[in-house]
C-alpha cells in the first residue's frame, strides 16, 4: 500500500495508521527500557538479551519481543512457571500462553501478550540459567553482569542444543492459543507473508483466504467473554493489519 495507507484510519477510528504504528513502536521501546531498569537491579538476574528481529535490528511495528533473561542457577520454580510475574515485570497482561518445551534446559518460557498503545504485543520470555546460557547469533545484550559464551547459531538452534526438561507443548484448543495464532496471522497478513499466514490458518483449521474474515470468525466464536480485553485488542490489530498491508520495508523501524 502506498501513501494512502499513512492517511487511512487506524484501530482507534480516526487515528492515522502511521500514527498508530509509531505509537506502538514507542510504547514497546519504553516498556523495554522499564524492564531493563527493573531487571538490572534484581540480584537474581545475570543479564538481559534481545533476540529475534528486534535484536538484530530488522524489526518493524508488528515485531514480537524475544526477551532472554539469564539468571543464577538453580532457577527457582516460580521463575520457571511464570517468569513474568516472578520477575515483577511491568505492563498490562492480556493473556499468557504456556509451552514448556520452548524453555532452555533448567529454565523457563512463557508467551505473554501485553497491551501497549492500545494494541496487543507478544513477548516471548525465556529464563535461562547462566550456567548453560549462550548468546545466540543475532541477539543484542541489553545488560550483563560478567561474560557469557557465544553460540555460533541463532536462538532456535541454540535452544535445540539444550532441550527443555518438560516436553509439553501448548494446548491447541485453549482460547489463549487461538488468540496467539490469530495475532501471529495478523502480523504475517500485514507483511503480505503468504506462506506464514497460510501456516497460521492451517493451525487454526480455517481457510487461508487473503483477508481477515475467517480470523475474525475464530475470534468471535472460539474465545470466551472472559478474554474480552484481549479480543478487543487483537481485533484492533486485525483492523490495522488489513488496512496497512504492505511490504515489510515500509514499516516504521
Amino acid at each position: 500500500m502506498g501513501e494512502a495507507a499513512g492517511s487511512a484510519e487506524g484501530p482507534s477510528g480516526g487515528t492515522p495508521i502511521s500514527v498508530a504504528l509509531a505509537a506502538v513502536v514507542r510504547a514497546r521501546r519504553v516498556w523495554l527500557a522499564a524492564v531493563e531498569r527493573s531487571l538490572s537491579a534484581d540480584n537474581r538476574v545475570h543479564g538481559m538479551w534481545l533476540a529475534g528481529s528486534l535484536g538484530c535490528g530488522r524489526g518493524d511495528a508488528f515485531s514480537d519481543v524475544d526477551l532472554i533473561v539469564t539468571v543464577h542457577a538453580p532457577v527457582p520454580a516460580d521463575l520457571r512457571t511464570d517468569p513474568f510475574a516472578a520477575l515483577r515485570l511491568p505492563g498490562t497482561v492480556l493473556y499468557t500462553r504456556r509451552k514448556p518445551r520452548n524453555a532452555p534446559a533448567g529454565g523457563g518460557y512463557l508467551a505473554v501478550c501485553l497491551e501497549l498503545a492500545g494494541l496487543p504485543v507478544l513477548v516471548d520470555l525465556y529464563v535461562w540459567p547462566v550456567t548453560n546460557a549462550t548468546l545466540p547469533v543475532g541477539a543484542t545484550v541489553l545488560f550483563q553482569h560478567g561474560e557469557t559464551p557465544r553460540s555460533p547459531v541463532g536462538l532456535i538452534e541454540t535452544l535445540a542444543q539444550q532441550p527443555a526438561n518438560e516436553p509439553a507443548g501448548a494446548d491447541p484448543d485453549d482460547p489463549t492459543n487461538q488468540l496467539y495464532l490469530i495475532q501471529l496471522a495478523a502480523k504475517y497478513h500485514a507483511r503480505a507473508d503468504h506462506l506464514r499466514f497460510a501456516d497460521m490458518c492451517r493451525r487454526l483449521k480455517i481457510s487461508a483466504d487473503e483477508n481477515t474474515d475467517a480470523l475474525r470468525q475464530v475470534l468471535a466464536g472460539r474465545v470466551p467473554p472472559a478474554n474480552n480485553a484481549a479480543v478487543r485488542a487483537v481485533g484492533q490489530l486485525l483492523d490495522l493489519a488489513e488496512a496497512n498491508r504492505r511490504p515489510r520495508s515500509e514499516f516504521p523501524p
Side-chain angles (χ1 to χ4, degrees):
M1 196 173 289
E3 291 182 2
S7 59
E9 289 188 354
S12 57
T15 302
I17 291 170
S18 58
V19 174
L21 291 175
V24 77
V25 168
R26 283 195 302 272
R28 189 176 61 196
R29 188 180 301 125
V30 168
W31 180 81
L32 275 169
V35 171
E36 183 175 354
R37 286 193 299 272
S38 175
L39 294 184
S40 62
D42 190 326
N43 59 15
R44 298 170 297 176
V45 175
H46 180 268
M48 173 178 165
W49 307 337
L50 187 61
S53 60
L54 292 176
C56 63
R58 294 187 294 104
D60 60 34
F62 293 93
S63 291
D64 307 332
V65 180
D66 293 289
L67 192 63
I68 302 168
V69 181
T70 60
V71 301
H72 299 293
V75 180
D78 61 342
L79 282 178
R80 295 196 307 270
T81 57
D82 189 351
F84 192 92
L87 290 167
R88 299 183 292 276
L89 299 185
T92 299
V93 177
L94 293 172
Y95 67 86
T96 60
R97 174 184 182 260
R98 295 193 72 244
K99 192 175 182 181
R101 70 179 180 211
N102 279 9
Y109 166 82
L110 188 68
V112 182
C113 181
L114 300 176
E115 184 173 2
L116 297 177
L119 290 170
V121 174
L122 282 172
V123 178
D124 285 310
L125 179 58
Y126 301 86
V127 171
W128 210 330
V130 70
T131 47
N132 62 320
T134 54
L135 181 68
V137 168
T140 296
V141 175
L142 299 180
F143 79 84
Q144 189 165 274
H145 303 300
E147 296 298 321
T148 303
R150 291 179 177 269
S151 170
V153 294
L155 176 60
I156 301 303
E157 295 86 353
T158 302
L159 289 170
Q161 295 171 357
Q162 301 182 27
N165 302 92
E166 295 184 61
D171 179 353
D173 298 319
D174 189 284
T176 59
N177 191 61
Q178 307 291 302
L179 285 165
Y180 178 84
L181 295 175
I182 293 169
Q183 197 168 339
L184 290 181
K187 172 177 68 174
Y188 297 137
H189 182 71
R191 294 174 177 166
D193 188 333
H194 308 292
L195 290 177
R196 289 180 178 173
F197 177 78
D199 183 52
M200 293 302 108
C201 291
R202 178 188 59 79
R203 293 168 66 180
L204 286 162
K205 301 179 182 178
I206 59 174
S207 169
D209 293 334
E210 291 303 311
N211 57 57
T212 60
D213 292 346
L215 295 172
R216 295 179 195 279
Q217 291 173 13
V218 173
L219 193 60
R222 299 186 196 173
V223 183
N227 298 87
N228 271 345
V231 168
R232 283 195 299 271
V234 173
Q236 289 178 328
L237 180 65
L238 287 170
D239 292 343
L240 190 60
E242 187 71 46
N244 195 64
R245 191 175 175 195
R246 53 187 171 138
R248 182 185 180 99
S249 59
E250 295 183 30
F251 292 129

